[in-house]
Amino acid sequence: MNFLIVTGLSGAGKSMAVNALEDIGFFCIDNIPAGLLPRILDFAQQGENQLSRVAVVMDVRGLRSVEETRKALDALDEKKMPYDILFLDANDNTIRRRYKETRRVHPMTITEGISITEAIAKEREILQPLRERAKYVIDTSMLSAAQNRERVCGLFLNKGECSMSLSVVSFGFKYGLPQEADIVFDVRCLPNPFYVPELKNLTGMDQAVVDYVMAAPESQELLRRIESFLEYALPLYVKEGKSQLMIAVGCTGGKHRSITFARKIGEYCQKLGYQPSVQHRDAKRTV
C-alpha cells in the first residue's frame, strides 16, 4: 500500500493537491487528528477494506504543538509501515495575499486569536518535524492552480498513466447533445448506412457498417483531421489541469456513423497513451 501524508501551510494548496490525488486514484481523508493516524493506517490495511493508495491530510487543524507532531510520527513509525510525506509550502507574503483574496481566515487566528503573521510563524514551527521528514516539498508561491496540480500528478502518477480521465461517447442528434460533453464532433456529413437496406438494422459495432462508412474518402479525411486535432489539443487540456474530458461524436440517430467514429477515436486516443472509455448512448434506442 502507498501511504501518503499531505501536509503544509494553510493556504499553500493542500486542498488542490488532495483533489489531484483523488483524480489519479488515491483514497483521500482530510483533517485527520494526530491521534487517529495509526487507526487510519490499520483500517486501510484490513481485509476487504485494504486500499492500495491512501492519502491523509494532517495539519494544524489536528496538531497543536511540535511535540504532538513528533508523537504522531513516532506512533506511525511503530507500525513499521512505509509512508511518504508531501509538504506544500509558500512564502509568507503569498499566504497572506491568498487569505486576503479569498477572504478566508487562517485556522489559528480563530482558535488562538492571533494575527495572521503570528499564525503563519507558529504554524511553521508546529509543522517543522513534518517538513524535515518530507520526501516531497512543493513551493507553490509562484505556481498557478493548474501548475500545482500538474506538479502533484507528475510526482504520483504511475508510469504511463494520464492525470485526465477521458471518455468518448457516441450519440444521436435527434435525441439531444450529451450535456457534459466538452468536445463535439458532428459526422452527419458522411454517407449514411441507414439508407442501405442490409445495414439499416446494424450498428457501428458491426464490421459491415464500419467498412461502409470508412470506404468513403471524406470519412477517412475527416478522421485524419480529427486525430490531428486531438493529438495537438489533448496534451493542452492535461497541462491546463483538466481532470475529466468527454469527446462526443454525433450522427442523426446515434447508431451507425457516430459509433464507428467513436470507436476509431477511442482507439487513436489509446495509441496516444490515454485510457479512454468508449460508450454508445443511443445504440439501443428503438424510437
Side-chain angles (χ1 to χ4, degrees):
M1 180 182 69
N2 292 337
F3 193 79
L4 178 68
I5 298 174
V6 180
T7 187
L9 296 186
S10 303
K14 295 190 300 294
S15 296
M16 185 289 311
V18 168
N19 291 338
L21 290 167
E22 285 185 336
D23 287 341
I24 61 175
F26 274 82
F27 179 83
C28 299
I29 309 173
D30 193 11
N31 194 13
I32 296 298
L36 285 182
L37 192 58
R39 297 183 185 180
I40 294 295
L41 183 57
D42 289 339
F43 171 79
Q45 292 178 300
Q46 284 176 1
E48 295 181 357
N49 295 324
Q50 189 165 0
L51 303 169
S52 59
R53 309 182 87 187
V54 177
V56 299
V57 180
M58 188 169 67
D59 53 30
V60 291
R61 293 172 295 174
L63 297 167
R64 295 304 176 196
S65 67
V66 175
E67 293 72 22
E68 192 174 6
T69 304
R70 290 200 174 103
K71 186 180 296 185
L73 292 174
D74 290 342
L76 198 58
D77 290 338
E78 290 178 3
K79 295 289 183 180
K80 300 188 184 302
M81 173 69 193
Y83 64 90
D84 293 320
I85 298 174
L86 168 64
F87 194 97
L88 281 298
D89 203 350
N91 62 52
D92 290 6
N93 288 336
T94 298
I95 297 293
R96 282 193 290 266
R97 174 177 56 79
R98 289 175 179 171
Y99 271 105
K100 184 176 181 180
E101 289 175 348
T102 59
R103 299 185 180 182
R104 297 196 65 188
V105 182
H106 191 287
M108 296 190 74
T109 66
I110 300 174
T111 58
E112 303 195 17
I114 56 180
S115 69
I116 187 169
T117 299
E118 294 173 305
I120 294 172
K122 187 166 185 178
E123 184 178 29
R124 287 192 185 280
E125 179 184 351
I126 292 173
L127 298 180
Q128 186 58 30
L130 284 162
R131 198 183 197 288
E132 290 173 353
R133 297 177 60 170
K135 182 176 181 179
Y136 310 101
V137 177
I138 300 178
D139 188 327
T140 67
S141 301
M142 302 298 292
L143 299 181
S144 67
Q147 290 170 330
N148 196 0
R149 172 188 168 81
E150 184 178 11
R151 187 74 61 84
V152 171
C153 290
L155 288 174
F156 299 104
L157 272 175
N158 291 326
K159 187 176 180 181
E161 285 186 334
C162 175
S163 60
M164 183 175 70
S165 173
L166 181 63
S167 59
V168 183
V169 177
S170 68
F171 72 96
F173 276 96
K174 65 188 294 184
Y175 305 114
L177 276 73
Q179 294 300 307
E180 62 272 38
D182 298 291
I183 301 173
V184 178
F185 293 116
D186 183 351
V187 296
R188 288 176 294 182
C189 56
L190 303 178
N192 192 350
F194 179 83
Y195 297 108
V196 179
E198 60 268 27
L199 301 179
K200 179 178 180 179
N201 295 321
L202 301 179
T203 73
M205 298 299 294
D206 296 296
Q207 191 60 42
V209 171
V210 175
D211 292 343
Y212 177 86
V213 172
M214 298 311 300
E218 54 264 47
S219 297
Q220 297 174 28
E221 180 62 17
L222 181 58
L223 180 61
R224 185 189 68 79
R225 295 192 182 210
I226 290 174
E227 289 176 345
S228 178
F229 167 77
L230 293 175
E231 182 181 17
Y232 177 78
L234 292 182
L236 300 181
Y237 284 107
V238 174
K239 184 178 179 180
E240 184 59 25
K242 187 80 170 172
S243 62
Q244 301 178 59
L245 187 79
M246 176 183 284
I247 301 170
V249 187
C251 63
T252 304
K255 287 184 170 59
H256 299 101
R257 295 165 292 179
S258 61
I259 292 180
T260 298
F261 263 64
R263 292 176 63 199
K264 294 285 185 182
I265 289 170
E267 290 169 2
Y268 181 73
C269 290
Q270 197 164 22
K271 290 178 182 177
L272 292 178
Y274 301 91
Q275 297 179 331
S277 65
V278 180
Q279 301 171 340
H280 307 297
R281 192 191 70 177
D282 301 321
K284 296 182 178 180
R285 285 187 183 266
T286 57
V287 294

